[in-house]
């Protein structure tokens, strides 16, 4: 019976260790969300990609189509309003830039 309990202990320990990176990832993502500064539209990279805080402001841009928002772009990270194109900053969910790509 002692062996069976050791086996169970080892199995649970290994399962716990395997799940640890997932838990750390979730916690660090939440902590990271608090550290992201909002993207300034005057930032050189933001200007290069024609980023605007409100998608409607891009209505005269040739690449813009109604309904395109940061929040439905494949680069948007909902957990922290982050964007893979601007990894140091958060973006407005209702914003837009010319790199908008439909979510898969």
């Amino acid at each position: 019976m002692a062996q069976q309990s050791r086996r169970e202990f080892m199995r649970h320990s290994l399962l716990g260790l395997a799940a640890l990176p997932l838990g750390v990832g979730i916690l660090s993502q939440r902590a990271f969300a608090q550290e992201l500064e909002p993207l300034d539209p005057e930032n050189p990279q933001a200007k290069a990609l024609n980023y605007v805080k409100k998608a409607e402001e891009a209505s005269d841009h040739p690449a813009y189509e109604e309904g395109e928002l940061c929040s439905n772009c494949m680069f948007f990270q909902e957990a922290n309003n982050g964007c893979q194109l601007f990894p140091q900053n958060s973006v407005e969910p209702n914003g837009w830039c010319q790199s908008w790509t439909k979510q898969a």
Side-chain angles (χ1 to χ4, degrees):
M1 189 148 143
Q3 279 187 331
Q4 193 172 28
S5 116
R6 273 190 231 131
R7 282 188 188 134
E8 285 180 31
F9 172 77
M10 291 302 292
R11 184 179 307 136
H12 292 293
S13 296
L14 291 174
L15 288 173
L17 286 173
L20 189 60
L22 176 64
V24 169
I26 291 170
L27 290 175
S28 66
Q29 200 172 41
R30 286 184 183 157
F32 186 66
Q34 297 171 356
E35 296 175 18
L36 291 179
E37 290 187 31
L39 179 62
D40 180 354
E42 296 300 313
N43 171 302
Q45 185 178 354
K47 286 183 100 168
L49 295 177
N50 296 298
Y51 170 75
V52 291
K53 289 184 174 185
K54 294 182 181 174
E56 306 86 51
E57 294 173 10
S59 61
D60 60 341
H61 192 282
Y64 175 77
E65 290 187 28
E66 191 173 335
E68 296 178 348
L69 303 169
C70 289
S71 62
N72 61 22
C73 175
M74 72 175 276
F75 299 116
F76 185 71
Q77 299 166 332
E78 188 175 343
N80 60 7
N81 287 348
C83 175
Q84 294 173 14
L85 302 176
F86 308 103
Q88 305 300 318
N89 301 99
S90 64
V91 294
E92 290 293 323
N94 292 323
W96 178 87
C97 86
Q98 71 184 34
S99 293
W100 182 90
T101 305
K102 185 178 180 177
Q103 290 178 344

